[in-house]
Amino acid sequence: MVFDLDAINTFYSKMANKVDEARKVVNKPLSLTEKILYAHLWNSNPTTPFTRGTDYVDFAPDRVAMQDATAQMALLQFMQAGKKKVAVPSTVHADHLIQAKLNAKKDLDTAQISNKEVYDFLSSVSNKYGIGFWKPGAGIIHQVVLENYAFPGGMMIGTDSHTVNAGGLGMIAIGVGGADAVDVMAGMPWELKFPKLIGVKLTGKLNGWTSPKDVILKVAGILTVKGGTGCIIEYFGEGAKSLSCTGKGTICNMGAEVGATTSTFGYDKSMERYLNATNRSKIAEIANTLKDYLTGDQEVYEKPEEYFDQFIEINLSELEPHINGPFTPDKATPISKIKDEAEKNDWPTDVKVGLIGSCTNSSYEDISRAASIAQQAIEKKLSTKSEFTITPGSEQVRYTIERDGFIETFNKIGANVFANACGPCIGQWARSGSDKQEKNTIVHSFNRNFSKRADGNPNTHAFVASPELVTAIAISGKLDFNPITDKLINNDGQEVLLNEPTGFELPINGFDVEDAGYQAPVEDGTELEVIVDENSERLQLLTPFKKWNNQNLTGLKLLIKAKGKCTTDHISMAGPWLRFRGHLDNISNNCLIGAINAFNEKSNYVKSQITGKYDEVPTTQRIYKENNIQTIVVGDHNYGEGSSREHAAMEPRHLGIIAVLVKSFARIHETNLKKQGMLALTFHNEDDYNKVQEDDTFNLIDLKNFSPGKSLNIEILHSNGKKENIKAKHTYNSQQIEWFKAGSALNLIKKLNS
Ligand code: MIC
Ligand code: SF4
């Protein structure tokens, strides 16, 4: 048993009381989100209710999860915190570093060799500090967490934005940067601004080709990539109850794509069935006795407009399958409109590859429904026009679907099964020919489709759809194929129509696995040593960032004014760069290379105010650093959208960028910047973005008075000698200002522990 039943029992034994106390203080019916948040306060019982969207609150999460690409930096930081053991149950999952090239077996063997140093580091550091280690091949963090650790009413944080997947099992699960994970593992409170609430009522029932994925594709279309910022989305209603637990997981997973802090569902029969199927009947038994506490109060769901900050209703019976993309997950097109849209936008309609799986959509249900389409292709004598790949989410799912014949079915339609890992979803895809940068289309069941994400090719148009739809599209080879209405011509020249997909919520014969791939830590790891080779190009011990000198910051040069979408993929690209995630100096060579320079519309091409020449962003910035000149980055809306990777904050910090001034931030990235001792500022007046010119110098003239709720005054000096004054807002509270003063949050922890 890998989960901690005792800890969960202890939490449940106190939950009812905590929620009852909270209800007295709040003095009105509570949503599920509020129940879970109030039941996880660091300082037991509140005396006044928290104001949503305003109050910073200290929480005590039940557990921490980390994946290999972020765990390296998180654990390098934890090693500096001076603790013997982690304070809460924590796990590390080796999933992001496996490249998908040939097939599961060969790719895993290659990864074991090429990533040996990193895996050895993660395995030994986990062992030393009491952290469970899921070895390469065990599966993708979020699927493994759902299968083993998530529990209704619990609260967890994870160093990956899709940690939110665990909301499918009624948790409040939140993606964070590594420095936040360090707080919790070091036994300190974890701080979050008390979120606003979005209620989504689901009525009706899914049918035909529509799947849970379409619910979130629709929601993404409604809310857009920043509509959920600062909010928790709570789903409820009869429609919600009719969804499988893993389907709920899919919906919560992609909540990251609308910027939501997390999403969740109330405990119901589907969760009970999933807990039973994954050997956790004991949790289901206790959860059944606490049902009312593990869902929102009836009054809240009856009058949602009164209790949520925003309310959306979706009728599942009428929901159409959707295809979202390209380049952004919120461009939602219902299948009936895809032909028109494709034509209108000149999207290439020949689909080169269909890819299913990932942490988002690799449940037994997803795979069985996709397999039912593949089976029809065989029976109806259709040959698959696109390439087709599968990345199973966990070894447990992979083993079970192989046992039940689905892998064989996929193989018969020419599929390639990759390792249980992120693979193509995060650019770990050795796609042949992608360097030619041809305009082409792929369709996948993953969650993100930012430019270059899957294969590094900016001209790959990636679309997101449910696994069953991806399978049908791959068989047809056409983006504008609508399986509900369109016929295909089979190998005998006959016209055939695909029937609706069918599947199984859970395996009839139960899940099975030979070796799930888990390594438990030793009881006492104090004597164990963690070795980091000084000459390593992949791992580097951290040197603390310098503390602030208490002076106003003057003479900051503009490094880049980024235009439009600037996600963490633009700031710290993944794919080939994942190999340097444990080496701050080396990975800093990708700093902001994807951001579009507003002055020339090019990426990785900025003017140096020292040399007057244009060069790559990291090279230009390193020259400023050598000359002890600090710099500032200016950006657009939702800056830092996407991943939790704190490299997107540590790299700029390491290279000497001290401030980031934007129209708005994505939540995790803003916190990451603060944690690493940087200034994360937003324009008071959005239009001031237009005032910023290429050769500008910035003076933060009243930083000495940096205090909560008080705007900062910035003087911009243009090269023509003109001066303009603008105001910048910030969301730092007094604790966060201390992080800035100390040089980073970690410097402060170290000070407290020394
Ligand atoms: C992603 O989906 O972008 C990632 C890769 O899983 C990231 C984490 C990372 O960059 O390591 C995330 O979502 O947080
Ligand atoms: Fe991995 Fe993709 Fe899921 Fe991120 S979104 S955890 S890269 S499978």
Side-chain angles (χ1 to χ4, degrees), residues 67 69-70 96 160-162 426 448 453 569 581 643-645:
Q67 42 88 344
T70 48
H96 281 60
D160 189 284
S161 63
H162 294 107
I426 191 53
R448 295 201 169 135
R453 182 172 168 97
D569 281 3
R581 283 288 185 89
S643 158
S644 69
R645 65 191 74 145

Side-chain angles (χ1 to χ4, degrees), residues 46 109 210 277 354 526 562 580 669 713 721:
D109 288 349
T210 313
T526 20
F580 298 122
H669 186 61
N713 285 299

Side-chain angles (χ1 to χ4, degrees), residues 48-57 192-195:
T48 48
F50 297 112
T51 310
R52 298 178 193 165
T54 303
D55 290 343
Y56 279 101
V57 179
L192 178 76
K193 192 181 268 180
F194 205 82

Side-chain angles (χ1 to χ4, degrees), residues 96 142 160 162 358-359 422 425-426 447 453:
H96 281 60
H142 312 301
D160 189 284
H162 294 107
S358 91
C359 66
C422 301
C425 178
I426 191 53
N447 36 35
R453 182 172 168 97

Side-chain angles (χ1 to χ4, degrees), residues 4-56:
D4 311 83
L5 189 59
D6 289 347
I8 298 175
N9 264 329
T10 313
F11 166 73
Y12 277 148
S13 67
K14 298 184 186 146
M15 185 178 187
N17 188 266
K18 289 187 173 181
V19 172
D20 291 343
E21 287 302 314
R23 193 181 281 105
K24 279 188 215 152
V25 172
V26 177
N27 199 20
K28 55 179 190 181
L30 296 175
S31 61
L32 168 65
T33 305
E34 289 163 301
K35 291 182 189 177
I36 303 180
L37 291 177
Y38 277 99
H40 285 90
L41 296 180
W42 180 260
N43 295 320
S44 332
N45 294 327
T47 44
T48 48
F50 297 112
T51 310
R52 298 178 193 165
T54 303
D55 290 343
Y56 279 101

Side-chain angles (χ1 to χ4, degrees), residues 95 193 199 292 333 357-358 391 433 702:
D95 52 2
K193 192 181 268 180
D292 291 344
T333 308
S358 91
T391 36
D702 55 1

